[in-house]
Amino acid sequence: MSTRTVAFFVPPTVVDEAPGVTIRRTIGGERMVLLDPILLCDHLYMAPRPEPMGFHRHPHRGIETLTFVFSGTVNHKDSIGNDSTVTAPTAQWMRAGNGIWHEEMLIAGNEPTEALQLWLNLPQTLKRTAPQYQAADQLPQVSYPSGTVTLVSGTFEGVNGPLSSIAVQPFLAIAKFDQDGTLRVPTAANDTAAVSIIRGQINDHEGPGLVVFTDGTELELQGSAGTLAVIIVAPKLNEPVMQYRSFVMNTAEDIAETLAMIHANRFGTGD
C-alpha cells in the first residue's frame, strides 16, 4: 500500500457571480482551471437574509453537478420538470447531458446557508444523453475514532453513498473531525484525489482551500478538531476538453452545435 502525499494546496479565489452569495473557488478559477475530471469547485455561503439568492436560470451541457448542503436550504428547478427543495445535511446531483436549463437558489432563513458545488466532466460517450436529477433523502454516516464520514457516492467500510449514477463513479464523502485525529481512505492508485477544506485543517493546511494529493492507494488525512472537509476521489477521463462558459464538450464543433441548438430553441428539452 502506498500512501498519497500532499502535492500542493490551492487557496480559494473569491468570485462575484451571485449577488448576496460569497463564492470561494478553488477549481475553475485563475489558479487551477481543471483537475481531471473535476471542472469546478465552489464553496458557497449566504448569511441569513429575507430573500433567496443564488444562480438564476442558466444552461449546462456535457457535465454533472453535485451540491453538498451543510446548512440551510437550497432549491433546484430545471427545464425537465424538477422542482426540489433540499435541507441540510443532504446532497443533490444533476446530469446536464445533452442540455438543460436550471436554477439553484439558496433559501433565506434564520441560519446561514452553506454548500459546496462540484462540476464533474462527463465522458464523451455520455455528453449527448438525456439529462437527469436526483436528491439524496438521507446520507449514511460511518463513525471512525476521530469523527464521522458521511457518504454521498462510493463505498466506505461497506456503506454505500446514495448518489450512485454519477458517470465517473467517484468517491465523495464529507469528513468531520470531532477531535484531532487521522482518517484513512483506500483509493485506486491513479485516481485524482483532493480534499476541499470547508473549515479547520487537513495535513497542516488551513481552510478554506483545496488540498491536492499525489497518486497512491491510500489517502491519509490528519485533521484538527472541528474540521469539516469534502473528500473527492475520481478516475481521470484523459479526454480533450473544450469549454465555453457552462458548456463542456470535446471539440470546437461541439460548442458550435450547442450554440446553434440554443439559437434554434432546441436546447434543454430533455432529449
Side-chain angles (χ1 to χ4, degrees), residues 71-126:
S71 65
T73 301
V74 175
N75 176 253
H76 165 100
K77 292 181 182 178
D78 62 44
S79 57
I80 59 172
N82 294 297
D83 186 344
S84 177
T85 299
V86 296
T87 299
T90 192
Q92 57 183 1
W93 159 78
M94 183 186 76
R95 175 176 292 177
N98 200 41
I100 195 169
W101 295 89
H102 87 133
E103 68 174 46
E104 204 163 22
M105 303 297 288
L106 282 62
I107 305 299
N110 296 322
E111 64 173 340
T113 297
E114 185 177 29
L116 184 80
Q117 182 165 100
L118 298 179
W119 291 6
L120 295 175
N121 199 8
L122 270 171
Q124 187 171 16
T125 55
L126 296 179

Side-chain angles (χ1 to χ4, degrees), residues 193-210:
V195 173
S196 178
I197 307 171
I198 305 304
R199 52 184 160 271
Q201 187 180 88
I202 292 287
N203 293 28
D204 296 325
H205 291 281
E206 192 76 30
L210 188 81

Side-chain angles (χ1 to χ4, degrees), residues 200-225:
Q201 187 180 88
I202 292 287
N203 293 28
D204 296 325
H205 291 281
E206 192 76 30
L210 188 81
V211 184
V212 180
F213 290 85
T214 61
D215 287 351
T217 57
E218 183 183 67
L219 195 58
E220 183 179 280
L221 306 181
Q222 299 166 5
S224 60

Side-chain angles (χ1 to χ4, degrees), residues 68 70 116 118 172-175 194-198 210 228-232:
F68 306 76
F70 305 118
L116 184 80
L118 298 179
L172 300 172
I174 303 166
V195 173
S196 178
I197 307 171
I198 305 304
L210 188 81
L228 183 70
V230 175
I231 305 169
I232 310 160

Side-chain angles (χ1 to χ4, degrees), residues 24-25 35 45 64 107 118 133 155 182 210 235 247 254:
R24 295 181 175 92
R25 179 166 297 165
L35 183 62
Y45 179 87
E64 296 180 297
I107 305 299
L118 298 179
Y133 170 81
T155 303
T182 301
L210 188 81
F247 311 128
D254 293 337

